[in-house]
Amino acid sequence: MKELALLDGDILCYRCAASAENDPVEVAIQRLEDLINRITHDTNSVTYRVFLTGDNNFRYTLYPEYKAHRKDKPKPLWLNACKEHLLKYHRANISDGNEADDEIAIVHQAEGLSTIVASIDKDFLQLPGYHYNFVKEEQVFVSPLDGMRFFYKQTISGDGSDNIPGFDHKCRNKIPKFMEKLLAPIDEMTEEEEMYKYALGLYETEFGNPLGFKHIEHIYHRNCNLLWLQRKENDTYLPPGQKHENTAS
């Protein structure tokens, strides 16, 4: 039994609103309630907290193109109604200066193994601890080492869903075969410094740095900070040697 389920309200609202695009708002709200009930039941949680993304996300300051491809994409009709419902009836926490993902990670880090993250967002797999994918209905445990490996793989591949480029400055939604081979060595590494140097080395290659940027390490650290989920308020990514306390306990 988990003491606390941490619910990704952004994705809950989007999915329920999108599924009821041609229905009255009450349908979207009911689906939202049903999904929350199912998640808490499936995770066998004593209680839960819901998180929504607010304004002033620091990532846009680091990289103005962050999620730029989403700006003109129409949003589901009942998205705001679903968010308002979570705020009014589920006392949802709304972030300021970061994202719901960061707020979830902060609570998850503080509370440790008594919590479970409920989302379908793969970014959370950098967090050690328990996770529940409510679409696949799968519960997994991520070890500190596997969480670290996942993070450094993301710094190489980038994240097309958030418009974060990989080591070769390209944004992709799917990992091509050639990149799978580049990511594979991470699975054999057990030290963060080794992962860090390997990923940075790819950025510094002719393929990763075709324009010959003088400050390629700065670009790499920028991408690390875009991908890194905060573990405490105002947290930033730190290279090995300036380590975070990123284990669940």
Side-chain angles (χ1 to χ4, degrees):
M1 177 178 290
K2 302 296 180 298
E3 292 295 325
L4 179 63
L6 306 175
L7 278 57
D8 183 346
D10 292 339
I11 289 180
L12 296 184
C13 288
Y14 196 96
R15 287 185 65 87
C16 292
S19 72
E21 193 74 8
N22 298 316
D23 299 306
V25 64
E26 290 80 8
V27 174
I29 298 301
Q30 186 58 55
R31 288 177 180 172
L32 184 60
E33 287 290 335
D34 291 344
L35 185 52
I36 291 172
N37 288 335
R38 179 168 67 80
I39 290 171
T40 55
H41 175 269
D42 290 352
T43 58
N44 198 23
S45 301
V46 174
T47 188
Y48 66 92
R49 290 179 62 184
V50 184
F51 298 82
L52 293 169
T53 296
D55 299 322
N56 309 315
N57 184 352
F58 73 92
R59 290 177 177 85
Y60 292 108
T61 302
L62 286 177
Y63 185 54
E65 296 303 305
Y66 180 67
K67 294 186 178 180
H69 60 308
R70 301 188 188 185
K71 290 179 180 178
D72 297 326
K73 186 177 180 180
K75 296 179 180 179
L77 179 62
W78 306 124
L79 181 60
N80 286 336
C82 286
K83 291 182 177 181
E84 290 170 5
H85 181 81
L86 290 183
L87 288 167
K88 183 175 181 179
Y89 294 102
H90 293 272
R91 295 180 294 177
N93 177 88
I94 188 162
S95 69
D96 181 18
N98 56 9
E99 295 184 7
D101 295 13
D102 298 299
E103 294 297 323
I104 289 173
I106 290 168
V107 176
H108 185 62
Q109 172 68 17
E111 301 295 331
L113 297 180
S114 65
T115 65
I116 184 167
V117 176
S119 179
I120 60 172
D121 188 340
K122 66 183 185 305
D123 296 349
F124 284 116
L125 296 179
Q126 67 179 261
L127 297 177
Y130 293 101
H131 298 263
Y132 178 66
N133 184 314
F134 53 79
V135 172
K136 296 181 178 180
E137 298 185 7
E138 292 179 352
Q139 192 171 146
V140 299
F141 178 79
V142 175
S143 70
L145 180 58
D146 284 339
M148 191 180 298
R149 286 170 173 162
F150 182 87
F151 172 75
Y152 281 102
K153 283 183 179 182
Q154 272 200 308
T155 69
I156 297 169
S157 66
D159 187 346
S161 64
D162 288 339
N163 205 41
I164 300 172
F167 81 100
D168 57 355
H169 311 288
K170 295 180 180 179
C171 291
R172 301 178 177 89
N173 290 320
K174 292 184 178 181
I175 296 176
K177 287 292 183 182
F178 87 90
M179 191 171 286
E180 289 180 3
K181 295 180 180 179
L182 294 177
L183 297 176
I186 296 284
D187 289 329
E188 305 301 320
M189 298 177 187
T190 58
E191 299 296 330
E192 182 179 6
E193 185 173 3
E194 187 180 10
M195 300 177 204
Y196 170 83
K197 288 181 177 179
Y198 176 75
L200 178 58
L202 290 176
Y203 275 72
E204 292 174 336
T205 63
E206 183 178 352
F207 185 36
N209 189 15
L211 300 180
F213 292 120
K214 293 182 179 179
H215 304 293
I216 195 68
E217 188 172 356
H218 172 76
I219 294 173
Y220 175 63
H221 287 166
R222 179 205 67 188
N223 289 352
C224 287
N225 269 299
L226 291 172
L227 292 162
W228 176 260
L229 295 183
Q230 295 180 322
R231 307 317 202 254
K232 57 185 178 181
E233 189 176 356
N234 298 320
D235 190 20
T236 58
Y237 166 80
L238 295 174
Q242 307 173 49
K243 292 179 67 63
H244 299 79
E245 295 178 2
N246 60 352
T247 57
S249 58

